Amino acid sequence: MRERKHDTRWMVSVALMAAIVIVLANTPLGMIQLPIIKATTVHIPVIIGAVLLGPGAGAILGGVFGICSLVSNTMAPTLLSFAFSPFMSTTGLAGAAKAIWISVGCRILIGIVAGWLWILLARLKVSQIIALPVVGFIGSLVNTVTVMGSIYVLFAQQYADAKQVGITAVWGLIMGTVTASGIPEAAAAAVLVLALGKVLIQVMKKMNFGMFSAQAVR
C-alpha cells in the first residue's frame, strides 16, 4: 500500500512538473524568440524535476520539453526549424529523424544527466548550496551543447545555408552561440535551480517523499 501511495505521488508530481513545462513552453517566458533560434528557460523545471523526482522523471520532463519545441518550431517556424521539426525537413526522412533527435532526444538527456549528477553529488555528500547550482549549470549546458553540437554534426550545410555563410564558418558560429547564449543560460539556471530547489526540497521533506529522501543532499 505504501509503495502504491509513493507511485501515485511520483506520477502526480511528474504530471504537475510537466504542466509547468508546457505552460513555459507556450509563453514568452519559456521560449524567447531570437532572429535565428529560440532561446529557452524550459529546461529549468526539467532540471528541478530530475533533482526532486529522479532521472526517470527528468527524462519524461525532457521529453515533454522536446515535444513542445517540436510543435513550436512546426507552428511558428524560424530559419533553423528544419533542425527541430520533422515536418520542416529539407532532406527527407533522414532529416526528419535527425530533427526528432535534436528537438526531443537532446532534451531527454537534460533530465537524465541532471538526475544522475544529483545522485552522484548526494553520494559524495556535497552540500545543497553547491550541488544545486552545479546541477543547474551542467544541466543547462547539456541542452546547449547537445543541441548545437548535433546541429553542427547533422545539419552543418543546412545551417550554413540558413546563415548564408560558407561551411567552414559553421564551427565558429556554433561556438559563438554556445558562448553567447549557452553560458548566460547556464548561469541563470544555476541561480534559479538553487533558489527554487532549496524551497522545494524542504517541501518534499515535509511530504516525506520516499524517492526524494533517498537522494537528498545535506
Side-chain angles (χ1 to χ4, degrees), residues 67-93:
I67 292 170
C68 289
S69 175
L70 187 156
V71 171
S72 174
N73 279 278
T74 302
M75 301 302 292
T78 68
L79 289 178
L80 285 187
S81 287
F82 62 83
F84 296 91
S85 170
F87 303 104
M88 299 290 110
S89 173
T90 59
T91 55
L93 290 177

Side-chain angles (χ1 to χ4, degrees), residues 98-159:
K98 294 173 185 177
I100 292 173
W101 160 252
I102 292 173
S103 61
V104 180
C106 290
R107 273 53 185 274
I108 290 174
L109 289 178
I110 302 170
I112 294 174
V113 171
W116 282 110
L117 179 58
W118 175 257
I119 291 172
L120 173 63
L121 294 175
R123 291 176 178 172
L124 295 175
K125 301 187 184 302
V126 178
S127 67
Q128 285 181 14
I129 200 168
I130 295 175
L132 285 169
V134 167
V135 172
F137 191 89
I138 297 299
S140 180
L141 276 186
V142 167
N143 178 49
T144 304
V145 171
T146 57
V147 168
M148 297 308 298
S150 294
I151 289 174
Y152 177 72
V153 172
L154 303 175
F155 289 111
Q157 185 59 60
Q158 291 88 337
Y159 186 88

Side-chain angles (χ1 to χ4, degrees), residues 20-96:
I20 294 172
V21 170
I22 292 170
V23 169
L24 280 178
N26 289 280
T27 64
L29 291 175
M31 289 287 188
I32 303 170
Q33 183 65 63
L34 299 177
I36 291 289
I37 196 169
K38 295 178 180 179
T40 182
T41 59
V42 188
H43 56 285
I44 292 171
V46 175
I47 296 167
I48 292 175
V51 167
L52 298 176
L53 302 168
I60 293 170
L61 295 171
V64 173
F65 170 22
I67 292 170
C68 289
S69 175
L70 187 156
V71 171
S72 174
N73 279 278
T74 302
M75 301 302 292
T78 68
L79 289 178
L80 285 187
S81 287
F82 62 83
F84 296 91
S85 170
F87 303 104
M88 299 290 110
S89 173
T90 59
T91 55
L93 290 177

